[in-house]
Amino acid sequence: MIKFENVSKIYPNGTKGLDNINLEIEQGEFVAIIGASGAGKSTLIRAINRLIDITEGSLTVNDIDVSSLKGKELRQFRRSVGMIFQSYNLVPRVSVIRNVMSALVPEMPFIRVLLGTFSQEEKMTALKSLERVGIADKAFIRTDQLSGGQQQRVSLARTLAQNPDVLLADEPVAALDPVTAERVMEDFKHINEELNKTVLINIHHVELALKYADRIIAVKKGRVIFDGPVAECTEEVLADIYSTEEGVANESV
């Protein structure tokens, strides 16, 4: 379970990224976080794995106080909470399978990625992860030869290889064409349903959020203004979420 209790985040310039957030997200949920640009979506997602430190309140994941983690404990925790970014964060000049295997060895030196010194078990784990997202046939191709959608699926496979309980995705389909975006969202849905992984996606494509998620959390000016099943996220609710009030600045910080 992910639990926010009275969580706030105030940036050094005084901007309030999160304003007294109270949420509970159960294991196995597929949650889409929506809202206008600057509303606080990325801040909320990135607080869960301590890419952003909260200012006030309590944030726990499976009863672990996230704010208390340091050093090795924090690194180990982040392996249980996988993160997929819009920019893929892959090593472009090595093969797909080496990118995926890099997730299997904590703090692995970069030279080991380049040389490909992995065990047979690590190779099989990587291939299985690539198969789950339908891209195993690209395993031995250099990553920079893939399309954007294929690279995002490699990123997802790499995260799956570390066997996290939670998958966080920060605008994972923002840079993709509509057809490819649908394919990537289908991958997230299959992983959620087949492996019972908790999935939280920060997404600006409302139609994709409504199609693939089970639960919608809407954020506006750092506050949760809607939290409920997709069926209850009506046109009236959406109109309120995306009204033209000024949002939170510098959300991606």
Side-chain angles (χ1 to χ4, degrees):
M1 175 191 287
I2 301 168
K3 191 171 184 178
F4 290 76
E5 294 182 279
N6 304 314
V7 170
S8 294
K9 167 64 181 178
I10 301 174
Y11 288 103
N13 65 0
T15 297
K16 186 167 282 191
L18 298 175
D19 186 0
N20 196 38
I21 300 292
N22 288 280
L23 288 171
E24 290 188 9
I25 298 165
E26 300 287 347
Q27 180 65 34
E29 287 196 82
F30 191 136
V31 181
I33 301 169
I34 66 172
S37 179
K41 305 187 299 297
S42 286
T43 301
L44 191 152
I45 282 277
R46 292 172 182 233
I48 294 171
N49 64 350
R50 274 281 298 282
L51 290 181
I52 290 175
D53 287 315
I54 62 174
T55 307
E56 300 173 354
S58 169
L59 175 52
T60 58
V61 178
N62 295 333
D63 296 323
I64 297 172
D65 179 0
V66 177
S67 296
S68 70
L69 299 174
K70 296 179 181 178
K72 184 178 180 180
E73 287 184 340
L74 178 57
R75 292 191 294 273
Q76 289 177 337
F77 167 75
R78 284 176 173 159
R79 291 184 63 77
S80 71
V81 182
M83 186 80 174
I84 296 97
F85 298 91
Q86 178 180 341
S87 57
Y88 321 134
N89 287 8
L90 301 171
V91 183
R93 295 188 178 184
V94 302
S95 68
V96 165
I97 193 168
R98 289 187 189 181
N99 268 283
V100 176
M101 288 188 294
S102 69
L104 300 173
V105 184
E107 303 176 7
M108 180 172 56
F110 179 68
I111 190 65
R112 195 175 164 197
V113 178
L114 291 177
L115 295 176
T117 53
F118 299 95
S119 69
Q120 189 63 28
E121 182 180 357
E122 288 167 343
K123 291 176 183 177
M124 292 306 296
T125 298
L127 285 170
K128 192 174 294 185
S129 296
L130 287 166
E131 189 174 342
R132 284 200 175 276
V133 297
I135 203 169
D137 60 320
K138 307 295 184 184
F140 300 100
I141 294 175
R142 231 174 69 161
T143 306
D144 57 6
Q145 295 177 353
L146 302 182
S147 68
Q150 290 170 332
Q151 289 190 53
Q152 189 59 284
R153 290 156 74 187
V154 174
S155 177
L156 179 52
R158 181 184 58 187
T159 302
L160 276 181
Q162 67 191 51
N163 194 28
D165 298 317
V166 178
L167 290 174
L168 307 176
D170 194 4
E171 295 285 8
V173 298
L176 305 179
D177 65 81
V179 173
T180 307
E182 288 263 6
R183 180 67 180 88
V184 171
M185 290 298 290
E186 287 171 3
D187 289 334
F188 278 110
K189 189 65 175 177
H190 291 154
I191 289 163
N192 166 250
E193 293 179 343
E194 294 173 13
L195 302 179
N196 195 38
K197 303 290 186 185
T198 305
V199 176
L200 282 85
I201 292 184
N202 163 18
I203 186 168
H204 74 269
H205 293 290
V206 177
E207 66 281 3
L208 294 179
L210 296 176
K211 182 174 180 178
Y212 290 99
D214 303 312
R215 175 180 172 188
I216 301 291
I217 294 173
V219 183
K220 186 174 185 179
K221 299 179 72 174
R223 297 189 296 271
V224 172
I225 63 168
F226 176 83
D227 179 7
V230 167
E232 294 179 9
C233 192
T234 62
E235 291 185 9
E236 291 78 8
V237 170
L238 291 172
D240 182 41
I241 294 167
Y242 292 98
S243 62
T244 55
E245 295 179 29
E246 182 180 359
V248 177
N250 299 322
E251 177 195 349
S252 61
V253 174

